[in-house]
PDB file of all heavy atoms in Angstrom:
ATOM      1  N   PHE A  22      88.751  97.759 116.113  1.00 96.00           N
ATOM      2  CA  PHE A  22      88.379  98.526 114.910  1.00 96.00           C
ATOM      3  C   PHE A  22      86.937  99.033 115.028  1.00 96.00           C
ATOM      4  O   PHE A  22      86.644 100.195 114.764  1.00 96.00           O
ATOM      5  CB  PHE A  22      88.562  97.646 113.664  1.00 96.00           C
ATOM      6  CG  PHE A  22      87.739  98.060 112.480  1.00 96.00           C
ATOM      7  CD1 PHE A  22      88.024  99.239 111.797  1.00 96.00           C
ATOM      8  CD2 PHE A  22      86.674  97.282 112.038  1.00 96.00           C
ATOM      9  CE1 PHE A  22      87.257  99.635 110.692  1.00 96.00           C
ATOM     10  CE2 PHE A  22      85.911  97.663 110.950  1.00 96.00           C
ATOM     11  CZ  PHE A  22      86.206  98.842 110.284  1.00 96.00           C
ATOM     12  N   THR A  27      83.345 104.409 112.949  1.00 97.00           N
ATOM     13  CA  THR A  27      81.896 104.612 112.821  1.00 97.00           C
ATOM     14  C   THR A  27      81.307 103.564 111.873  1.00 97.00           C
ATOM     15  O   THR A  27      80.243 103.770 111.300  1.00 97.00           O
ATOM     16  CB  THR A  27      81.597 106.025 112.272  1.00 97.00           C
ATOM     17  OG1 THR A  27      82.242 106.155 111.001  1.00 97.00           O
ATOM     18  CG2 THR A  27      82.103 107.107 113.203  1.00 97.00           C
ATOM     19  N   GLU A  28      82.009 102.439 111.733  1.00 94.00           N
ATOM     20  CA  GLU A  28      81.610 101.363 110.821  1.00 94.00           C
ATOM     21  C   GLU A  28      80.146 100.944 111.038  1.00 94.00           C
ATOM     22  O   GLU A  28      79.323 100.979 110.130  1.00 94.00           O
ATOM     23  CB  GLU A  28      82.542 100.174 111.065  1.00 94.00           C
ATOM     24  CG  GLU A  28      82.140  98.879 110.399  1.00 94.00           C
ATOM     25  CD  GLU A  28      82.870  98.627 109.100  1.00 94.00           C
ATOM     26  OE1 GLU A  28      83.588  99.526 108.623  1.00 94.00           O
ATOM     27  OE2 GLU A  28      82.715  97.549 108.546  1.00 94.00           O
ATOM     28  N   HIS A  29      79.836 100.530 112.265  1.00 92.00           N
ATOM     29  CA  HIS A  29      78.478 100.035 112.526  1.00 92.00           C
ATOM     30  C   HIS A  29      77.453 101.162 112.495  1.00 92.00           C
ATOM     31  O   HIS A  29      76.336 100.967 112.021  1.00 92.00           O
ATOM     32  CB  HIS A  29      78.426  99.274 113.847  1.00 92.00           C
ATOM     33  CG  HIS A  29      78.691  97.802 113.676  1.00 92.00           C
ATOM     34  ND1 HIS A  29      78.682  96.898 114.704  1.00 92.00           N
ATOM     35  CD2 HIS A  29      78.980  97.072 112.567  1.00 92.00           C
ATOM     36  CE1 HIS A  29      78.951  95.674 114.242  1.00 92.00           C
ATOM     37  NE2 HIS A  29      79.146  95.771 112.948  1.00 92.00           N
ATOM     38  N   CYS A  31      77.411 103.863 110.634  1.00 96.00           N
ATOM     39  CA  CYS A  31      77.029 104.270 109.274  1.00 96.00           C
ATOM     40  C   CYS A  31      76.184 103.189 108.602  1.00 96.00           C
ATOM     41  O   CYS A  31      75.274 103.484 107.839  1.00 96.00           O
ATOM     42  CB  CYS A  31      78.242 104.681 108.435  1.00 96.00           C
ATOM     43  SG  CYS A  31      79.224 103.344 107.788  1.00 96.00           S
ATOM     44  N   MET A  32      76.452 101.914 108.931  1.00 96.00           N
ATOM     45  CA  MET A  32      75.599 100.839 108.402  1.00 96.00           C
ATOM     46  C   MET A  32      74.197 100.920 109.004  1.00 96.00           C
ATOM     47  O   MET A  32      73.202 100.724 108.311  1.00 96.00           O
ATOM     48  CB  MET A  32      76.199  99.470 108.743  1.00 96.00           C
ATOM     49  CG  MET A  32      77.412  99.091 107.939  1.00 96.00           C
ATOM     50  SD  MET A  32      77.780  97.357 108.331  1.00 96.00           S
ATOM     51  CE  MET A  32      79.514  97.318 108.049  1.00 96.00           C
ATOM     52  N   GLN A 143      80.717  93.126 104.480  1.00 93.00           N
ATOM     53  CA  GLN A 143      82.143  93.143 104.807  1.00 93.00           C
ATOM     54  C   GLN A 143      82.752  91.736 104.830  1.00 93.00           C
ATOM     55  O   GLN A 143      83.495  91.401 105.738  1.00 93.00           O
ATOM     56  CB  GLN A 143      82.336  93.807 106.195  1.00 93.00           C
ATOM     57  CG  GLN A 143      82.105  95.308 106.214  1.00 93.00           C
ATOM     58  CD  GLN A 143      83.181  96.084 105.485  1.00 93.00           C
ATOM     59  OE1 GLN A 143      83.558  95.755 104.372  1.00 93.00           O
ATOM     60  NE2 GLN A 143      83.667  97.153 106.087  1.00 93.00           N
ATOM     61  N   TYR A 146      86.246  90.082 101.197  1.00 89.00           N
ATOM     62  CA  TYR A 146      87.720  90.029 101.243  1.00 89.00           C
ATOM     63  C   TYR A 146      88.196  88.612 101.533  1.00 89.00           C
ATOM     64  O   TYR A 146      89.354  88.289 101.334  1.00 89.00           O
ATOM     65  CB  TYR A 146      88.259  90.956 102.346  1.00 89.00           C
ATOM     66  CG  TYR A 146      87.478  92.226 102.503  1.00 89.00           C
ATOM     67  CD1 TYR A 146      86.670  92.448 103.621  1.00 89.00           C
ATOM     68  CD2 TYR A 146      87.506  93.211 101.504  1.00 89.00           C
ATOM     69  CE1 TYR A 146      85.928  93.603 103.741  1.00 89.00           C
ATOM     70  CE2 TYR A 146      86.760  94.362 101.624  1.00 89.00           C
ATOM     71  CZ  TYR A 146      85.970  94.553 102.744  1.00 89.00           C
ATOM     72  OH  TYR A 146      85.219  95.702 102.867  1.00 89.00           O
ATOM     73  N   ILE A 171      77.951  95.007 101.196  1.00 97.00           N
ATOM     74  CA  ILE A 171      78.630  96.176 101.771  1.00 97.00           C
ATOM     75  C   ILE A 171      80.116  95.858 101.824  1.00 97.00           C
ATOM     76  O   ILE A 171      80.511  94.788 102.292  1.00 97.00           O
ATOM     77  CB  ILE A 171      78.110  96.522 103.188  1.00 97.00           C
ATOM     78  CG1 ILE A 171      76.606  96.825 103.157  1.00 97.00           C
ATOM     79  CG2 ILE A 171      78.885  97.708 103.768  1.00 97.00           C
ATOM     80  CD1 ILE A 171      76.005  97.253 104.507  1.00 97.00           C
ATOM     81  N   LEU A 172      80.927  96.778 101.308  1.00 96.00           N
ATOM     82  CA  LEU A 172      82.378  96.624 101.398  1.00 96.00           C
ATOM     83  C   LEU A 172      83.028  97.998 101.329  1.00 96.00           C
ATOM     84  O   LEU A 172      82.322  99.001 101.170  1.00 96.00           O
ATOM     85  CB  LEU A 172      82.911  95.702 100.303  1.00 96.00           C
ATOM     86  CG  LEU A 172      83.082  96.227  98.889  1.00 96.00           C
ATOM     87  CD1 LEU A 172      83.824  95.183  98.046  1.00 96.00           C
ATOM     88  CD2 LEU A 172      81.769  96.549  98.245  1.00 96.00           C
ATOM     89  N   VAL A 173      84.347  98.054 101.470  1.00 95.00           N
ATOM     90  CA  VAL A 173      84.990  99.370 101.504  1.00 95.00           C
ATOM     91  C   VAL A 173      84.846 100.071 100.156  1.00 95.00           C
ATOM     92  O   VAL A 173      84.837  99.444  99.098  1.00 95.00           O
ATOM     93  CB  VAL A 173      86.480  99.303 101.911  1.00 95.00           C
ATOM     94  CG1 VAL A 173      86.628  98.728 103.311  1.00 95.00           C
ATOM     95  CG2 VAL A 173      87.301  98.524 100.921  1.00 95.00           C
ATOM     96  N   SER A 174      84.726 101.383 100.241  1.00 96.00           N
ATOM     97  CA  SER A 174      84.533 102.198  99.047  1.00 96.00           C
ATOM     98  C   SER A 174      85.831 102.296  98.240  1.00 96.00           C
ATOM     99  O   SER A 174      86.928 102.281  98.794  1.00 96.00           O
ATOM    100  CB  SER A 174      84.087 103.599  99.475  1.00 96.00           C
ATOM    101  OG  SER A 174      84.185 104.491  98.394  1.00 96.00           O
ATOM    102  N   SER A 177      87.991 105.150  99.504  1.00 96.00           N
ATOM    103  CA  SER A 177      88.372 105.107 100.923  1.00 96.00           C
ATOM    104  C   SER A 177      89.885 105.068 101.074  1.00 96.00           C
ATOM    105  O   SER A 177      90.622 104.865 100.105  1.00 96.00           O
ATOM    106  CB  SER A 177      87.784 103.850 101.570  1.00 96.00           C
ATOM    107  OG  SER A 177      88.411 102.695 101.028  1.00 96.00           O
ATOM    108  N   TRP A 179      91.372 102.697 102.493  1.00 95.00           N
ATOM    109  CA  TRP A 179      91.749 101.302 102.238  1.00 95.00           C
ATOM    110  C   TRP A 179      92.239 101.131 100.800  1.00 95.00           C
ATOM    111  O   TRP A 179      93.241 100.466 100.558  1.00 95.00           O
ATOM    112  CB  TRP A 179      90.544 100.377 102.451  1.00 95.00           C
ATOM    113  CG  TRP A 179      90.037 100.318 103.843  1.00 95.00           C
ATOM    114  CD1 TRP A 179      88.930 100.941 104.343  1.00 95.00           C
ATOM    115  CD2 TRP A 179      90.609  99.596 104.951  1.00 95.00           C
ATOM    116  NE1 TRP A 179      88.777 100.649 105.679  1.00 95.00           N
ATOM    117  CE2 TRP A 179      89.788  99.821 106.075  1.00 95.00           C
ATOM    118  CE3 TRP A 179      91.722  98.763 105.085  1.00 95.00           C
ATOM    119  CZ2 TRP A 179      90.051  99.260 107.327  1.00 95.00           C
ATOM    120  CZ3 TRP A 179      91.990  98.209 106.318  1.00 95.00           C
ATOM    121  CH2 TRP A 179      91.163  98.459 107.425  1.00 95.00           C
ATOM    122  N   SER A 201      84.735  98.695  96.296  1.00 96.00           N
ATOM    123  CA  SER A 201      83.567  98.866  95.427  1.00 96.00           C
ATOM    124  C   SER A 201      83.975  99.205  93.987  1.00 96.00           C
ATOM    125  O   SER A 201      83.240  98.918  93.049  1.00 96.00           O
ATOM    126  CB  SER A 201      82.642  99.952  95.988  1.00 96.00           C
ATOM    127  OG  SER A 201      83.294 101.208  96.003  1.00 96.00           O
ATOM    128  N   TYR A 218      75.390 103.030  96.799  1.00 97.00           N
ATOM    129  CA  TYR A 218      75.247 104.078  97.823  1.00 97.00           C
ATOM    130  C   TYR A 218      76.586 104.222  98.542  1.00 97.00           C
ATOM    131  O   TYR A 218      77.222 103.226  98.866  1.00 97.00           O
ATOM    132  CB  TYR A 218      74.183 103.679  98.861  1.00 97.00           C
ATOM    133  CG  TYR A 218      72.836 103.342  98.287  1.00 97.00           C
ATOM    134  CD1 TYR A 218      72.588 102.067  97.771  1.00 97.00           C
ATOM    135  CD2 TYR A 218      71.805 104.282  98.251  1.00 97.00           C
ATOM    136  CE1 TYR A 218      71.349 101.741  97.227  1.00 97.00           C
ATOM    137  CE2 TYR A 218      70.562 103.962  97.710  1.00 97.00           C
ATOM    138  CZ  TYR A 218      70.350 102.694  97.206  1.00 97.00           C
ATOM    139  OH  TYR A 218      69.119 102.362  96.671  1.00 97.00           O
ATOM    140  N   GLU A 219      76.996 105.462  98.793  1.00 96.00           N
ATOM    141  CA  GLU A 219      78.255 105.690  99.519  1.00 96.00           C
ATOM    142  C   GLU A 219      77.943 106.040 100.981  1.00 96.00           C
ATOM    143  O   GLU A 219      77.062 106.864 101.250  1.00 96.00           O
ATOM    144  CB  GLU A 219      79.035 106.843  98.872  1.00 96.00           C
ATOM    145  CG  GLU A 219      79.629 106.501  97.505  1.00 96.00           C
ATOM    146  CD  GLU A 219      80.822 105.555  97.592  1.00 96.00           C
ATOM    147  OE1 GLU A 219      81.521 105.530  98.631  1.00 96.00           O
ATOM    148  OE2 GLU A 219      81.046 104.810  96.613  1.00 96.00           O
ATOM    149  N   LEU A 220      78.652 105.410 101.907  1.00 97.00           N
ATOM    150  CA  LEU A 220      78.451 105.681 103.332  1.00 97.00           C
ATOM    151  C   LEU A 220      79.736 106.265 103.920  1.00 97.00           C
ATOM    152  O   LEU A 220      80.749 105.579 104.001  1.00 97.00           O
ATOM    153  CB  LEU A 220      78.117 104.388 104.094  1.00 97.00           C
ATOM    154  CG  LEU A 220      77.071 103.428 103.540  1.00 97.00           C
ATOM    155  CD1 LEU A 220      76.824 102.300 104.541  1.00 97.00           C
ATOM    156  CD2 LEU A 220      75.762 104.143 103.256  1.00 97.00           C
ATOM    157  N   PRO A 221      79.694 107.534 104.360  1.00 97.00           N
ATOM    158  CA  PRO A 221      80.893 108.121 104.966  1.00 97.00           C
ATOM    159  C   PRO A 221      81.179 107.464 106.318  1.00 97.00           C
ATOM    160  O   PRO A 221      80.262 107.222 107.095  1.00 97.00           O
ATOM    161  CB  PRO A 221      80.521 109.603 105.163  1.00 97.00           C
ATOM    162  CG  PRO A 221      79.227 109.814 104.437  1.00 97.00           C
ATOM    163  CD  PRO A 221      78.564 108.480 104.314  1.00 97.00           C
ATOM    164  N   SER A 222      82.441 107.145 106.558  1.00 97.00           N
ATOM    165  CA  SER A 222      82.825 106.509 107.823  1.00 97.00           C
ATOM    166  C   SER A 222      84.297 106.815 108.085  1.00 97.00           C
ATOM    167  O   SER A 222      85.058 107.068 107.148  1.00 97.00           O
ATOM    168  CB  SER A 222      82.606 105.000 107.722  1.00 97.00           C
ATOM    169  OG  SER A 222      83.115 104.327 108.857  1.00 97.00           O
ATOM    170  N   ASN A 282      90.126 107.281 106.558  1.00 98.00           N
ATOM    171  CA  ASN A 282      88.912 107.273 105.731  1.00 98.00           C
ATOM    172  C   ASN A 282      88.423 105.834 105.550  1.00 98.00           C
ATOM    173  O   ASN A 282      88.978 105.063 104.778  1.00 98.00           O
ATOM    174  CB  ASN A 282      89.221 107.917 104.370  1.00 98.00           C
ATOM    175  CG  ASN A 282      88.028 107.878 103.423  1.00 98.00           C
ATOM    176  OD1 ASN A 282      87.167 107.005 103.515  1.00 98.00           O
ATOM    177  ND2 ASN A 282      87.984 108.814 102.503  1.00 98.00           N
ATOM    178  N   ASN A 283      87.372 105.497 106.315  1.00 97.00           N
ATOM    179  CA  ASN A 283      86.831 104.136 106.324  1.00 97.00           C
ATOM    180  C   ASN A 283      85.521 104.060 105.523  1.00 97.00           C
ATOM    181  O   ASN A 283      84.663 103.224 105.801  1.00 97.00           O
ATOM    182  CB  ASN A 283      86.602 103.718 107.789  1.00 97.00           C
ATOM    183  CG  ASN A 283      86.115 102.288 107.929  1.00 97.00           C
ATOM    184  OD1 ASN A 283      86.740 101.361 107.443  1.00 97.00           O
ATOM    185  ND2 ASN A 283      84.972 102.098 108.585  1.00 97.00           N
ATOM    186  N   ASN A 284      85.366 104.958 104.518  1.00 97.00           N
ATOM    187  CA  ASN A 284      84.103 105.000 103.764  1.00 97.00           C
ATOM    188  C   ASN A 284      83.726 103.631 103.200  1.00 97.00           C
ATOM    189  O   ASN A 284      84.574 102.885 102.731  1.00 97.00           O
ATOM    190  CB  ASN A 284      84.202 105.997 102.596  1.00 97.00           C
ATOM    191  CG  ASN A 284      84.220 107.425 103.113  1.00 97.00           C
ATOM    192  OD1 ASN A 284      84.201 107.661 104.305  1.00 97.00           O
ATOM    193  ND2 ASN A 284      84.270 108.377 102.194  1.00 97.00           N
ATOM    194  N   LEU A 285      82.418 103.362 103.229  1.00 97.00           N
ATOM    195  CA  LEU A 285      81.901 102.089 102.727  1.00 97.00           C
ATOM    196  C   LEU A 285      81.010 102.343 101.519  1.00 97.00           C
ATOM    197  O   LEU A 285      80.510 103.452 101.321  1.00 97.00           O
ATOM    198  CB  LEU A 285      81.065 101.390 103.804  1.00 97.00           C
ATOM    199  CG  LEU A 285      81.759 101.101 105.138  1.00 97.00           C
ATOM    200  CD1 LEU A 285      80.756 100.501 106.121  1.00 97.00           C
ATOM    201  CD2 LEU A 285      82.908 100.147 104.938  1.00 97.00           C
ATOM    202  N   SER A 286      80.791 101.308 100.744  1.00 97.00           N
ATOM    203  CA  SER A 286      79.806 101.360  99.659  1.00 97.00           C
ATOM    204  C   SER A 286      78.795 100.247  99.883  1.00 97.00           C
ATOM    205  O   SER A 286      79.172  99.149 100.306  1.00 97.00           O
ATOM    206  CB  SER A 286      80.466 101.142  98.303  1.00 97.00           C
ATOM    207  OG  SER A 286      81.336 102.200  97.989  1.00 97.00           O
ATOM    208  N   VAL A 287      77.542 100.561  99.579  1.00 98.00           N
ATOM    209  CA  VAL A 287      76.505  99.537  99.561  1.00 98.00           C
ATOM    210  C   VAL A 287      76.134  99.331  98.100  1.00 98.00           C
ATOM    211  O   VAL A 287      75.842 100.297  97.393  1.00 98.00           O
ATOM    212  CB  VAL A 287      75.253  99.969 100.344  1.00 98.00           C
ATOM    213  CG1 VAL A 287      74.187  98.882 100.296  1.00 98.00           C
ATOM    214  CG2 VAL A 287      75.611 100.290 101.782  1.00 98.00           C
TER     215      VAL A 287
END
Side-chain angles (χ1 to χ4, degrees):
F22 157 69
T27 59
E28 169 98 352
H29 269 181
C31 78
M32 286 189 208
Q143 288 290 48
Y146 324 109
I171 300 183
L172 78 171
V173 299
S174 167
S177 67
W179 295 103
S201 63
Y218 305 83
E219 289 287 333
L220 313 186
S222 173
N282 177 333
N283 183 55
N284 289 2
L285 303 176
S286 294
V287 180

